Structures are given as structure tokens and as C-alpha cells.
Amino acid sequence: MTDSWESLMATLNFYVRLSYPFKNYSRPGSFSDPDQLLIGDFGLSVEQQKFQMALWSILSAPLFVSSDLRIIRTESKKILLNRRAIAINQDSLGNLGQEILVIGQVHIWRKAILPAGSFALAIFYLDIFAGPSKVSVKLVDIAIRSAAVFNITECFSGVNYGLYKPWHTLDCEVNPTGALLFEIIAVS
């Protein structure tokens, strides 16, 4: 993997094509390895670094870092040390997330996590020229319906969206070449 957006897109496209066959092999002790994290190097913007951390978290990929941690920028360090993203990545189920919905240049991935009935949701926006994209999606439309109520928090901002029922609509805004990563925790 090279330190560039194009290289990150090639990795995403590879896993879009092969996540279903790889799903059969992803479990604790057996993980996909899409290569090193470029977070903290100089080829990706902060939004693109969030994109990569969200993708690696959804893939349950090893978090090998290529940057020099002695001189890493504060923004990059915050992304690498994000406790919620790491918890999704390290979830003991070891599931490989999968792309479940594409709306134009917005790609939505889902991964089952603990506690039972909970999910991680990554929303990736691939457009490099437009402004932020508003995204609205009903939880039931992305097969999140295992509990009566979910508590939703965006991992990078720490913003708690509150309690949602499966028929509620999640409304958010994602930056170009950026990502949002949500913890969707079943509470009943």
C-alpha cells in the first residue's frame, strides 16, 4: 500500500469484491490483512485518515501503523487512539464487516459486534469534488432490527445521537473522502 488516496480506494474496492468469500474465514485468530495504516503519514487528509481507520475497524484488520509515532500530528494520533474505533476493530466476535448499501458515492458497511444484537456502521463518501453529503437511512433498511431500542454514537466525534428504534431514520452528514463510524448498541 502506498501513502495515497488512490491506494486506499484500491483496497476498498478489493474488499467490496471479496468480503463475502473472506467472511467465511474471518474469526478470532484469523483476520483479513489489508496492509498497514497510513494514518500519520503525509499522503492522506484528516478525513481520509478517518476513512481508513473506519474501514480497518469494520474489517477487523490488524492495526499496524506505518508512521513515525515520535512525531505524529495531534489529529492523526487522536484517530489512531480512538477507543470506540479500536473497540469495534478488536471486538471479540472477530466479524468481517460487509458493504450492505450504496447510494451514489456513499457506501454503507455493517459489522455485528457485542453486546448481542449490536452493530458497527461505517458510512464512506467517495466523492473527491463535492461538498458534504447528507445521508438518511432507516435502521430496518440496513437490517438493523435485532433489538427494540439502540443507542447510537458516532466514534470520531463522540456525538451521541440518542436512542433509536429499528423504524427510525439515522440522519447524518459525511465529508468528501471521509467516513463516519457508528456504534449501534442494543439496549433492549
Side-chain angles (χ1 to χ4, degrees):
M1 173 170 263
T2 60
D3 189 13
S4 69
W5 173 247
E6 292 76 17
S7 182
L8 185 53
M9 286 293 75
T11 301
L12 174 73
N13 290 330
F14 176 81
Y15 278 91
V16 165
R17 287 192 320 274
L18 295 175
S19 68
Y20 285 100
F22 284 165
K23 183 179 181 184
N24 298 325
Y25 302 102
S26 183
R27 62 188 172 280
S30 179
F31 300 100
S32 297
D33 184 6
D35 209 342
Q36 63 196 354
L37 287 166
L38 303 172
I39 299 166
D41 290 338
F42 299 98
L44 300 180
S45 70
V46 171
E47 290 299 322
Q48 292 166 351
Q49 291 177 52
K50 290 178 188 175
F51 187 109
Q52 186 180 29
M53 188 67 174
L55 181 59
W56 263 233
S57 294
I58 286 288
L59 293 175
S60 299
L63 300 176
F64 297 121
V65 180
S66 68
S67 62
D68 185 342
L69 297 176
R70 296 168 299 169
I71 59 169
I72 194 167
R73 293 169 289 173
T74 302
E75 308 89 14
S76 300
K77 185 176 181 180
K78 286 171 77 174
I79 294 167
L80 285 172
L81 296 177
N82 185 287
R83 290 180 189 265
R84 285 187 172 95
I86 292 170
I88 290 168
N89 174 274
Q90 302 291 307
D91 185 79
S92 61
L93 292 176
N95 286 329
L96 176 72
Q98 296 183 301
E99 185 176 68
I100 56 167
L101 183 63
V102 177
I103 307 165
Q105 298 230 25
V106 173
H107 295 243
I108 300 176
W109 288 56
R110 185 189 66 228
K111 170 185 171 179
I113 60 173
L114 292 174
S118 301
F119 297 90
L121 189 73
I123 301 177
F124 301 106
Y125 185 31
L126 280 60
D127 200 316
I128 60 175
F129 298 112
S133 177
K134 293 185 186 303
V135 178
S136 294
V137 62
K138 281 187 179 178
L139 297 184
V140 73
D141 291 344
I142 51 176
I144 296 179
R145 55 183 168 260
S146 59
V149 179
F150 297 93
N151 188 18
I152 300 180
T153 303
E154 202 286 317
C155 296
F156 297 119
S157 68
V159 171
N160 181 271
Y161 279 59
L163 298 176
Y164 281 68
K165 295 186 177 181
W167 58 86
H168 288 172
T169 300
L170 175 64
D171 293 311
C172 55
E173 186 173 273
V174 60
N175 289 324
T177 68
L180 298 172
L181 182 61
F182 292 96
E183 276 183 322
I184 301 178
I185 304 299
V187 292
S188 68

